[in-house]
Amino acid sequence: MPPRTFCQTTVSNLSTPAGTYIYALTPLSATHLAASTSDSSIITFSKPTLTLTTTISHAHTNVTSLTPYPSSPQTLLTSGTDGLVKLWDLRCPPTASLASEIAVGAPVLCASANAQGGIIAGTEMQERVSKVYVWDGRMLSGEDVKPTWVFAESHGDDVSFVGFAGEEEEAGGGGSRWGVSGGMDGLVSVFDLRAGKAGAGDDDEKALWQVVNVGASVHRAGFLDAGAGGKGEWVFGLSTDESLVLGCFDRTPGREEEEEGDVQGGVAGDVGDVRERLGCEYVVDVLRASGNGTTGGIVVAGNKEVGKQWVDLVPLRWAGSQWGFASEDKVRLQGGHGEEVCRGIWVDEESETVFTGGEDGLVKVWREETSREEGVSEGEKKERKEGRRERRRREKERFKPY
């Protein structure tokens, strides 16, 4: 079965100077997205039209991450090599939008937030030490902002990625318990942020729950749900050489050592070089699948070779006894970003629209090719949409383990 093909419908350079890269895309509100750029700007724009609405120039010396701050409406979290973590309230004019600022004391390479107001950030290695910090964002007041956790021994190189548990867990508070970090030492570390009392000087020993060795510098990390037959939650790490490794995540206290063989990957969790598996040149991201009953993830992979230019969204699922790709269900963004690399992606599942940003300095909007809808009545379009949903439901059933 050929892939579903999405075609470019709208494109904009967001009025950025020539040669500017679009680094990341993230939602700001129901109608707007935000982007970070290589000239250290934060830009907000309309989803329907890509019309520029706000530009915050020189948000950091170099912007290293951009993510929503979900506990506060229209608020963004950023980090930079200037050693700062910042919160921006975009309901205010650009000159007054800086809501809070944390001075970390070392270049910050990554940051993220959860729905409970937690903030996690990772630093570059300085004087042979790199650190992962966790703060309660609801307690940011005054100049001396104290972290709730400081992990200084979990990575032997720069911390390249940080995050919290998946969105599906947030309603039950799971997102406020588990933190994850990835480093250029090839390790993915999981922390239990409710382990004992933080701040007593041995945070790593108390809170470090699990380690997965990816084998090369970590590009992305996080949690994926394999379903009951696949032992539930898994921790994944994607390396900069595009290898994907997953470790089974056991939340039961005292059992992490028993599962050590499984944790390190093995056949079930070692997907291998994604480039060989998918015929791509690079991997943009690994997205957690969302929606009721949905498990697994989406690997976003790209190709920029002349004549083979595309970005694919390929489902990664637990298939009975191991992780694998459901390539027959992939979505192809035909043409991708041409000869340039796609750097950021955001998927609007409600409208079945994909937004991408790349090193060509462009933000692109993608929808399923319109030729399939020409001459079709609204009733037939609705039936087709319902049919696609039913086919996706059936495909999910196929991959349920026995």
Side-chain angles (χ1 to χ4, degrees):
M1 179 183 296
R4 293 174 65 195
T5 301
F6 279 38
C7 296
Q8 175 186 309
T9 61
T10 316
V11 62
S12 173
N13 68 356
L14 303 181
S15 300
T16 56
T20 302
Y21 291 0
I22 304 296
Y23 277 155
L25 299 178
T26 198
L28 176 65
S29 67
T31 57
H32 285 75
L33 296 179
S36 61
T37 67
S38 58
D39 66 353
S40 300
S41 296
I42 304 299
I43 297 172
T44 69
F45 56 94
S46 163
K47 284 167 51 180
T49 63
L50 301 188
T51 302
L52 180 69
T53 53
T54 302
T55 298
I56 300 173
S57 301
H58 308 296
H60 292 269
T61 303
N62 290 293
V63 177
T64 55
S65 67
L66 171 72
T67 187
Y69 187 64
S71 66
S72 181
Q74 297 188 46
T75 301
L76 298 174
L77 174 73
T78 62
S79 63
T81 55
D82 49 12
L84 299 174
V85 174
K86 297 181 179 182
L87 286 172
W88 306 88
D89 185 345
L90 274 302
R91 294 170 295 183
C92 303
T95 55
S97 59
L98 181 58
S100 299
E101 181 178 287
I102 305 171
V104 178
V108 183
L109 302 182
C110 46
S112 188
N114 64 18
Q116 290 76 31
I119 297 173
I120 186 169
T123 74
E124 182 180 289
M125 176 169 275
Q126 290 194 332
E127 298 180 355
R128 300 185 179 180
V129 177
S130 60
K131 297 181 180 181
V132 176
Y133 291 90
V134 181
W135 297 271
D136 184 341
R138 297 165 297 183
M139 307 296 288
L140 299 183
S141 60
E143 295 184 0
D144 188 19
V145 179
K146 298 292 186 183
T148 54
W149 292 95
V150 180
F151 305 113
E153 300 176 0
S154 296
H155 292 285
D157 207 331
D158 298 346
V159 180
S160 52
F161 185 88
V162 290
F164 291 98
E167 293 178 1
E168 276 77 3
E169 299 183 78
E170 298 290 5
S176 64
R177 176 172 182 178
W178 303 105
V180 62
S181 65
M184 292 188 179
D185 55 3
L187 301 180
V188 175
S189 299
V190 179
F191 304 98
D192 181 357
L193 303 179
R194 299 182 188 173
K197 184 179 180 182
D202 57 350
D203 287 2
D204 292 81
E205 183 177 346
K206 288 183 297 185
L208 184 61
W209 183 268
Q210 180 175 325
V211 177
V212 175
N213 191 344
V214 178
S217 298
V218 177
H219 174 51
R220 287 287 189 273
F223 301 85
L224 297 178
D225 182 10
K231 298 185 180 180
E233 205 79 7
W234 288 61
V235 184
F236 77 84
L238 174 72
S239 71
T240 51
D241 63 6
E242 319 300 15
S243 290
L244 180 61
V245 176
L246 300 99
C248 187
F249 180 45
D250 192 337
R251 301 161 184 269
T252 308
R255 289 193 58 194
E256 56 270 27
E257 292 184 4
E258 294 178 25
E259 300 289 339
E260 186 173 353
D262 243 355
V263 163
Q264 298 307 322
V267 175
D270 188 357
V271 176
D273 190 334
V274 177
R275 292 170 298 185
E276 294 180 1
R277 297 286 300 274
L278 298 181
C280 63
E281 292 183 311
Y282 63 93
V283 179
V284 182
D285 208 343
V286 179
L287 310 177
R288 183 178 174 116
S290 59
N292 294 332
T294 305
T295 59
I298 303 292
V299 173
V300 184
N303 216 62
K304 53 187 178 62
E305 180 184 349
V306 175
K308 299 180 181 178
Q309 295 169 347
W310 42 258
V311 173
D312 281 354
L313 285 72
V314 187
L316 175 70
R317 296 172 180 158
W318 181 262
S321 61
Q322 63 184 12
W323 287 94
F325 294 109
S327 297
E328 68 275 15
D329 288 340
K330 72 183 177 184
V331 168
R332 170 157 291 181
L333 312 182
Q334 191 62 51
H337 281 260
E339 297 181 16
E340 302 296 339
V341 172
C342 174
R343 294 289 295 264
I345 184 165
W346 186 72
V347 180
D348 186 342
E349 295 185 352
E350 182 65 28
S351 64
E352 295 189 326
T353 304
V354 179
F355 296 81
T356 60
E359 293 185 0
D360 53 3
L362 301 176
V363 170
K364 296 185 175 185
V365 182
W366 306 84
R367 294 186 178 89
E368 194 158 14
E369 56 183 352
T370 55
S371 59
R372 299 186 183 186
E373 303 294 334
E374 290 177 359
V376 179
S377 68
E378 290 302 317
E380 288 175 307
K381 289 180 182 179
K382 183 177 180 181
E383 287 181 4
R384 288 187 180 185
K385 188 172 182 179
E386 291 174 350
R388 289 196 297 267
R389 288 175 177 168
E390 177 62 20
R391 286 195 298 273
R392 289 197 292 272
R393 185 195 66 77
R394 289 199 301 267
E395 289 297 333
K396 291 172 190 173
E397 292 292 329
R398 286 180 56 207
F399 283 89
K400 282 187 177 180
Y402 296 103

